[in-house]
Amino acid sequence: MSNFYYQDGTLMVEGLSARDVAQAHGTPAYVYSAQALREGLGTIQKAFAAIDPLVCFSVKSCPNLSVLKLLVDHGAGLDVVSGGELRRALQAGAPPEKIVFAGVGKSREELTLAIQQGVLMFNVESTAELERINEISGGLGRKVQLALRVNPDVADETTHAKTSTGGRETKFGIPLHHAEKIIADGGFEHVDICGLHVHLGSPLSEASPYLLAIEALEQMEQRLAAAGREIRYINVGGGYPVSYASPGQSFRPVLEIGQAIAERLQGFRARGKKFVVEPGRSVVANAGLLLCQVEYMKQGWDHKIAIVNAGMNTLIRPTLYGAFHLMWPAQHDGFTGDWEAVARLPAQGLEKVDVVGPICETGDYLALGRSLPAMKSGDLLAVFSCGAYGMSMASNYNSHGRPAEVLVDGSEMRLIRRREVYEDLVAFEVDLLK
Ligand SMILES: *Cc1c(COP(=O)(O)O)cnc(C)c1O
């Protein structure tokens, strides 16, 4: 966690203290480290160096325009799943030929916009979608590139049921044998089916599901080649893991998995294929934290409760996925940021608390039964590894404005999304009051 560290017991984000960020922009706030974002992208590029892929950052994990621009400026392409994300990608300066467009429900408007803008390719999820793209593409006098998203029926036991996407029971992709038949039969005049795509889930903690899926793709690609149907692109999706419990070691898992996948893709490489990867979480999760403040400490029947000003409306992962996020007060005298030591600490000096938000739901918590140093009203609490699927899944539930987003680069900070105010909450409502 070199960009988030404790100095004399004070949490620092690069060259600034978390306290300074909170004083400048209030809480709750998502705070990103520019250096960590660059390192996150660099790690993916390094992990997959052996196959030199186009790295398309998954916009849905962290769609802030400034974050996208920073990544695009460092060579990233972008993976989008809606017209809104496509427009963000273009506004952030991504060249269309480095944008891939996925998602099971692309509308006519979204497809038309993407074809007109000239995206690299679509990842197609059904025959009905293929027919629709063929029709729109023909109408516009184009021939668009696309990859079929194959459902390889590779179930992954290591991820949460809500984030596993490679199994036969999910809504994703086209069953393997069916995809093969579509390509073998041909017959769609206005599209060029040039790629095979898989995305198995998020996060996957082992390489084996990828390796199984790649093996299935390779057999299929070779059968198709023998029948005279050439595939040029292999896209292995995203879902590469990060360490949530120990942010300091965040890059080890993705390096190991990436290298194993790249190794398994060497056969494709030898036959001249090009590659796309679509990492989201592994680039940004450990580049952001959520800074919040304790409103009240309270004693329940038999447990202590810390009520903070961020809840499931701010960070839904704990209650939606049972996700673990490391958290710690931003000021803890004597603390050096040694998380391994924290894990070994005897519970003395710490107290078990439920860390909950202001929302009127029992499921509104950031952590249950967590051992933390004693806190009091007004203390700042940092929730780590929140860069991915944090702000992007935040809501206005209970009519709270969504938090600010701040980007720290060295000893400078920039507000990259202002905190929402009441006027934002009601801006779209039709006025029947007059
Ligand atoms: C969500 C998604 C990704 C990114 O997943 P991460 O776990 O954030 O890396 C990549 N590809 C597709 C098609 C996705 O839906």
Side-chain angles (χ1 to χ4, degrees):
M1 205 168 57
S2 55
N3 302 294
F4 302 97
Y5 59 100
Y6 280 81
Q7 190 173 66
D8 303 328
T10 297
L11 175 62
M12 304 291 291
V13 182
E14 299 198 20
L16 291 176
S17 73
R19 190 185 340 103
D20 286 344
V21 178
Q23 257 159 20
H25 297 296
T27 60
Y30 279 98
V31 186
Y32 306 96
S33 152
Q35 180 57 24
L37 289 168
R38 291 188 284 263
E39 286 172 11
L41 179 64
T43 302
I44 290 289
Q45 287 160 338
K46 188 168 152 200
F48 289 97
I51 54 162
D52 190 26
L54 172 62
V55 177
C56 289
F57 171 68
S58 174
V59 171
K60 72 176 192 276
S61 66
C62 188
N64 185 288
L65 287 172
S66 301
V67 170
L68 298 183
K69 179 166 190 314
L70 185 151
L71 296 173
V72 166
D73 285 350
H74 286 81
L78 297 174
D79 163 41
V80 303
V81 295
S82 70
E85 286 194 356
L86 172 59
R87 296 186 61 177
R88 282 180 180 271
L90 295 168
Q91 194 175 344
E97 65 276 11
K98 286 173 113 177
I99 298 175
V100 293
F101 194 152
V104 293
K106 304 176 194 81
S107 69
R108 284 184 181 279
E109 291 72 22
E110 290 174 322
L111 291 167
T112 304
L113 175 68
I115 293 171
Q116 284 167 339
Q117 293 292 334
V119 299
L120 176 65
M121 72 177 78
F122 294 102
N123 293 326
V124 173
E125 303 248 4
S126 64
T127 315
E129 185 192 336
L130 182 54
E131 284 163 358
R132 183 182 275 186
I133 294 175
N134 188 54
E135 180 203 319
I136 298 174
S137 178
L140 293 170
R142 302 284 185 87
K143 185 159 184 155
V144 299
Q145 297 196 124
L146 49 88
L148 295 189
R149 177 170 180 175
V150 172
N151 183 315
D153 190 22
V154 171
D156 173 54
E157 271 81 52
T158 67
T159 195
H160 192 276
K162 283 185 184 152
T163 59
S164 176
T165 60
R168 66 200 298 151
E169 71 291 350
T170 73
K171 68 175 178 178
F172 294 103
I174 304 172
L176 194 82
H177 58 285
H178 189 186
E180 182 168 343
K181 186 165 176 345
I182 292 172
I183 299 173
D185 289 353
F188 294 92
E189 258 182 85
H190 309 292
V191 300
D192 170 16
I193 307 181
C194 63
L196 298 176
H197 173 235
V198 285
H199 171 68
L200 303 174
S202 172
L204 271 60
S205 55
E206 281 165 23
S208 53
Y210 293 101
L211 305 185
L212 283 173
I214 292 166
E215 186 171 335
L217 287 191
E218 191 153 38
Q219 287 170 5
M220 172 170 160
E221 182 266 335
Q222 289 187 314
R223 284 191 300 269
L224 286 167
R229 299 280 179 192
E230 190 74 35
I231 292 296
R232 303 194 302 281
Y233 284 92
I234 303 297
N235 180 340
V236 290
Y240 315 113
V242 296
S243 171
Y244 279 98
S246 175
Q249 297 192 351
S250 61
F251 294 137
R252 201 163 40 84
V254 64
L255 274 175
E256 283 171 8
I257 285 195
Q259 284 163 1
I261 295 170
E263 175 65 33
R264 185 64 191 75
L265 288 168
Q266 285 305 325
F268 277 123
R269 182 176 166 78
R271 292 195 300 287
K273 309 304 171 202
K274 292 186 196 165
F275 301 95
V276 180
V277 293
E278 304 169 334
R281 181 192 313 275
S282 50
V283 174
V284 290
N286 283 318
L289 59 76
L290 169 63
L291 203 53
C292 57
Q293 190 166 27
V294 178
E295 293 285 354
Y296 304 101
M297 295 300 297
K298 130 174 186 174
Q299 180 64 52
W301 278 78
D302 28 46
H303 60 310
K304 267 217 157 76
I305 304 167
I307 299 161
V308 301
N309 61 0
M312 64 189 288
N313 54 322
T314 328
L315 178 71
I316 201 172
R317 300 188 70 258
T319 194
L320 185 61
Y321 306 130
F324 174 91
H325 282 269
L326 184 70
M327 56 190 73
W328 208 254
Q331 183 66 42
H332 182 207
D333 296 340
F335 185 59
T336 61
D338 181 349
W339 302 111
E340 276 82 40
V342 167
R344 291 192 304 267
L345 270 185
Q348 320 143 356
L350 303 183
E351 50 186 31
K352 270 208 164 127
V353 289
D354 289 355
V355 180
V356 308
I359 302 299
C360 300
E361 295 271 347
T362 305
D364 177 35
Y365 54 82
L366 301 179
L368 297 178
R370 189 66 62 84
S371 293
L372 289 171
M375 295 188 292
K376 59 181 188 316
S377 175
D379 285 357
L380 286 175
L381 179 70
V383 184
F384 295 100
S385 309
C386 286
Y389 307 105
M391 185 63 175
S392 71
M393 296 179 90
S395 78
N396 294 121
Y397 189 37
N398 282 204
S399 288
H400 287 282
R402 281 178 291 179
E405 288 179 292
V406 180
L407 181 66
V408 175
D409 195 352
S411 44
E412 281 173 23
M413 64 178 135
R414 290 171 80 158
L415 182 65
I416 57 172
R417 191 181 203 274
R418 69 162 170 79
R419 182 177 308 288
E420 289 177 3
V421 295
Y422 174 71
E423 286 69 25
D424 298 316
L425 297 180
V426 293
F428 305 115
E429 287 174 35
V430 178
D431 185 0
L432 296 179
L433 301 178
K434 280 184 195 138

